[in-house]
Amino acid sequence: MATIAANLQAVRARIARAAQAAGRAPEDIALVAVSKTFAPDYIILAHAAGQRAFGENQVQEAVAKITELARLPFEWHFIGPIQSNKTGAIAAHFPWVHGVDREKIAQRLNAARAEGTAPINVCIQVNVSGEASKSGVRPGEEERLAAAIAQLPRLKLRGLMAIPEPTPDTALQRRRFALLRELKEKLVARGYALDTLSMGMSDDFEAAIAEGATIVRIGTAIFGPRAR
Ligand SMILES: *Cc1c(COP(=O)(O)O)cnc(C)c1O
């Protein structure tokens, strides 16, 4: 666990290098530390090393951690698949939700988000890998969902998110991320004020940054391999 601070520093350095190589400012890329499956002690160590944004993908596990760590000023990101019976808990605990891919889920999150709290920042998940992945709208279907989300006052559409299939082929990584960037640019041209491309994980975040990622979601490279 003592390596978490060193891992974080190494990841931040890699982000900065990738940003510079792409002619981008490193501070334009936010790091969400994916703490799923790791106990609060690990999150506290990352916090001590300056990390504030954390990603979780299971509601029950996340709410337990958020409750236990409520004294610390974290920004929690829900990055997992969203079941409709969990939208209440997600809306109550997360300022960011990355994987919205159905109108019904967006409506339920909107209905559950309390008045007087900030709208939930949401990203539409796009399936950029075709049949290799089941989650996300098909490319081309994102504008319909964006239009629906724009009608929901308790949600703020920030951008697009993708989880491409794992591949060591960096040219293929780049193509998947480029597609998400192009889809976001198309929405911006259609009048949607989007500022977020949530893409890039431990094994492909440099390619994602080269294609314009503004949020990278990184777990293994910070916390080590997961048991599940
Ligand atoms: C687990 C997960 C990550 C982090 O993956 P690593 O390969 O461990 O960096 C990022 N995004 C999502 C949606 C995840 O579920």
Side-chain angles (χ1 to χ4, degrees):
M1 289 204 309
T3 58
I4 287 176
N7 290 347
L8 260 173
Q9 203 174 7
V11 165
R12 288 188 191 121
R14 283 171 62 188
I15 290 172
R17 267 199 305 279
Q20 271 146 15
R24 305 181 57 202
E27 56 271 21
D28 291 345
I29 297 143
L31 170 60
V32 170
V34 176
S35 46
K36 64 188 186 193
T37 80
F38 288 96
D41 286 357
Y42 289 74
I43 300 174
I44 288 169
L45 285 173
H47 172 265
Q51 184 63 29
R52 295 294 176 268
F54 291 88
E56 292 282 340
N57 73 337
Q58 282 200 346
V59 176
Q60 222 183 340
E61 173 192 342
V63 169
K65 291 182 197 174
I66 292 170
T67 306
E68 180 170 342
L69 297 169
R71 70 199 146 85
L72 296 172
F74 290 145
E75 179 181 272
W76 294 99
H77 293 244
F78 191 76
I79 61 170
I82 307 166
Q83 295 167 285
S84 53
N85 64 341
K86 299 285 168 56
T87 47
I90 293 170
H93 290 98
F94 288 89
W96 276 87
V97 177
H98 289 243
V100 177
D101 64 1
R102 281 185 291 154
E103 188 174 343
K104 179 184 161 206
I105 293 293
Q107 285 167 345
R108 290 182 66 98
L109 287 169
N110 179 71
R113 185 67 165 180
E115 297 278 346
T117 58
I120 308 172
N121 298 290
V122 301
C123 293
I124 292 173
Q125 184 173 351
V126 181
N127 179 356
V128 294
S129 299
E131 287 168 32
S133 149
K134 291 176 289 290
S135 296
V137 302
R138 276 193 298 238
E141 290 177 349
E142 65 286 342
E143 186 170 358
R144 229 176 76 93
L145 185 52
I149 292 172
Q151 302 302 312
L152 301 173
R154 312 302 304 142
L155 303 186
K156 183 173 171 56
L157 182 62
R158 297 294 296 268
L160 302 180
M161 177 267 206
I163 311 171
E165 78 274 44
T167 170
D169 177 348
T170 53
L172 179 57
Q173 293 173 3
R174 288 283 294 262
R175 282 206 301 282
R176 301 302 194 212
F177 294 132
L179 172 59
L180 197 71
R181 173 176 48 73
E182 287 157 12
L183 295 175
K184 180 211 164 213
E185 285 165 358
K186 215 182 270 181
L187 286 176
V188 169
R190 302 271 290 168
Y192 293 90
L194 307 181
D195 62 5
T196 300
L197 274 174
S198 169
M199 57 189 198
M201 313 189 355
S202 292
D203 291 330
D204 59 14
F205 71 85
E206 275 110 341
I209 289 169
E211 292 296 343
T214 64
I215 297 180
V216 291
R217 312 173 310 267
I218 299 179
T220 308
I222 296 170
F223 295 107
R226 288 180 292 274
R228 59 173 164 85

